[in-house]
Amino acid sequence: MRFCLEVWGTSYEDIRKTCVEAENLGYYGFYYGESLAEIDMDCWTTIANLAAFTSKIKLGPVITYLFPQYRSIALLAKTALTFQEVSDGRLEFRTGSGATLQYASQWWDPFGIPYPKINERLNILEEGLQILQKFWSGKPVFFDGKNFKINAGTMKKNNKTIPITVAAKGEKMMAIAAKYANVWEASYISPEKFSLLNEKFREIRDNEERKDSDNIMRSIELDVIIAESESELDYKKKLFMMDRGPSVFNQILRNGLVGTPDKVREIIKEYMDSGVEQFFLAFHDPFNIPDLELFIDSTL
């Protein structure tokens, strides 16, 4: 079972210390947010630096964007290949179609980058993944698509495969995940709903002509509120609700890892029984090392 951390923020020292401690505790992956807004530093610069302080833990973006208005797809392919080399094969390339237009526009419009509608985002994602995999194969890339055009560009092949995670819950997105992903991830749903979605993903995957389609890992993204006692848990719940608001808080109570260690262990088992093989975890305070320790202890 893999447990991975989702981390945001601008305190580099906190990020570095937490990443090193996460590796020591046995977390599988440490993934840092990517955005142009002031909530983050540059993602790829940050994780490249973290690679120098760690040796085992997987590293990557929480989600990296393939929008051509944001960054050259060829540059992203080169960045990923370089990171895979300097990190000794520890890159996990995470991507998706992004959040809803209404929510995500606020992060892009101030920088003069139009946020595409969902059908365009899906098209960008599928074209982008094709191009990335072609570049990573080391062969010349010829591509004439709606969003990207590549004229025989070639990059040196890295013998260490770059695993791709695609976050997907809708059928069109799951079809893209079934075609290109090594890890398929759903977010913030109950074990029962994950089980149903997993069945749907299996049907979609079986229609794809991929030799390794049976090896696509199942992952889920969840928030975590954990405490040693019920009184401490109540206090942390209040802090979470004040910080994130009642609607998000109620969603986390329904579909999250919330409780004392015994309860969290019980919920984890329910998700595992539904088909989950990896947990992508967002702690309320990702830099609270005792909480990271308590969570790992609860899984033993």
Side-chain angles (χ1 to χ4, degrees):
M1 183 55 57
R2 297 176 176 180
F3 297 104
C4 309
L5 297 179
E6 173 181 349
V7 177
W8 306 76
T10 56
S11 171
Y12 170 72
E13 193 58 26
D14 285 342
I15 293 165
R16 184 186 65 79
K17 287 180 179 179
T18 304
C19 184
V20 171
E21 190 59 35
E23 178 174 84
N24 293 336
L25 289 170
Y27 282 90
Y28 176 82
F30 186 95
Y31 307 118
Y32 182 62
E34 178 176 71
S35 77
L36 290 172
E38 60 187 13
I39 60 172
D40 291 310
M41 299 181 292
D42 176 65
C43 172
W44 288 91
T45 304
T46 302
I47 61 174
N49 188 272
L50 295 176
F53 290 93
T54 54
S55 60
K56 296 179 295 183
I57 197 165
K58 301 292 185 180
L59 299 165
V62 169
I63 178 172
T64 200
Y65 299 93
L66 311 188
F67 304 155
Q69 302 93 333
Y70 172 51
R71 174 176 45 204
S72 157
I73 194 72
L75 175 61
L76 181 58
K78 188 78 166 185
T79 300
L81 283 170
T82 303
F83 183 88
Q84 187 71 328
E85 181 66 29
V86 301
S87 69
D88 194 24
R90 289 189 285 140
L91 174 61
E92 297 274 326
F93 190 94
R94 298 176 51 84
T95 190
S97 64
T100 62
L101 182 66
Q102 293 85 348
Y103 176 79
S105 293
Q106 63 181 312
W107 305 111
W108 296 92
D109 286 350
F111 298 95
I113 300 173
Y115 189 72
K117 294 181 180 179
I118 181 60
N119 286 338
E120 186 179 352
R121 297 202 308 273
L122 290 174
N123 188 262
I124 289 170
L125 178 64
E126 182 152 23
E127 285 192 6
L129 287 172
Q130 291 180 57
I131 292 168
L132 289 170
Q133 290 187 331
K134 288 175 184 291
F135 271 130
W136 296 342
S137 73
K139 299 176 182 177
V141 179
F142 297 87
F143 194 89
D144 186 9
K146 182 178 179 181
N147 302 283
F148 305 100
K149 298 186 186 302
I150 308 293
N151 303 311
T154 307
M155 295 183 185
K156 182 180 178 182
K157 181 180 179 180
N158 188 313
N159 292 323
K160 302 176 180 69
T161 300
I162 298 177
I164 295 172
T165 295
V166 174
K169 286 195 287 189
E171 286 194 28
K172 291 181 179 178
M173 273 298 299
M174 286 196 291
I176 293 174
K179 191 179 294 185
Y180 301 103
N182 303 97
V183 180
W184 161 61
E185 187 167 275
S187 301
Y188 306 114
I189 57 176
S190 67
E192 294 78 14
K193 288 185 177 179
F194 186 90
S195 182
L196 293 172
L197 204 61
N198 190 21
E199 285 299 318
K200 185 63 180 177
F201 181 74
R202 185 177 290 112
E203 292 174 12
I204 294 171
R205 180 209 65 187
D206 289 346
N207 291 326
E208 292 297 329
E209 297 180 359
R210 271 183 63 179
K211 294 180 180 179
D212 62 342
S213 63
D214 288 340
N215 298 324
I216 301 174
M217 177 163 283
R218 271 60 164 176
S219 177
I220 191 162
E221 178 183 17
L222 296 170
D223 279 273
V224 180
I225 308 175
I226 190 169
E228 293 194 65
S229 67
E230 291 293 345
S231 59
E232 184 187 359
L233 184 64
D234 287 340
Y235 175 70
K236 288 184 175 181
K237 286 179 180 178
K238 290 176 182 176
L239 290 179
F240 189 98
M241 185 167 63
M242 287 189 293
D243 185 38
R244 303 282 291 277
S247 61
V248 175
F249 173 70
N250 289 329
Q251 175 185 300
I252 298 312
L253 288 184
R254 292 192 305 271
N255 305 317
L257 300 179
V258 180
T260 57
D262 286 345
K263 180 62 176 177
V264 167
R265 188 182 302 113
E266 178 185 319
I267 301 171
I268 287 173
K269 181 162 189 318
E270 290 175 2
Y271 277 106
M272 291 172 62
D273 290 343
S274 74
V276 171
E277 301 167 285
Q278 174 178 280
F279 290 84
F280 184 53
L281 307 172
F283 284 75
H284 181 220
D285 179 1
F287 308 121
N288 187 324
I289 302 302
D291 278 3
L292 302 186
E293 293 174 341
L294 183 62
F295 179 86
I296 284 296
D297 289 343
S298 75
T299 67
L300 300 177

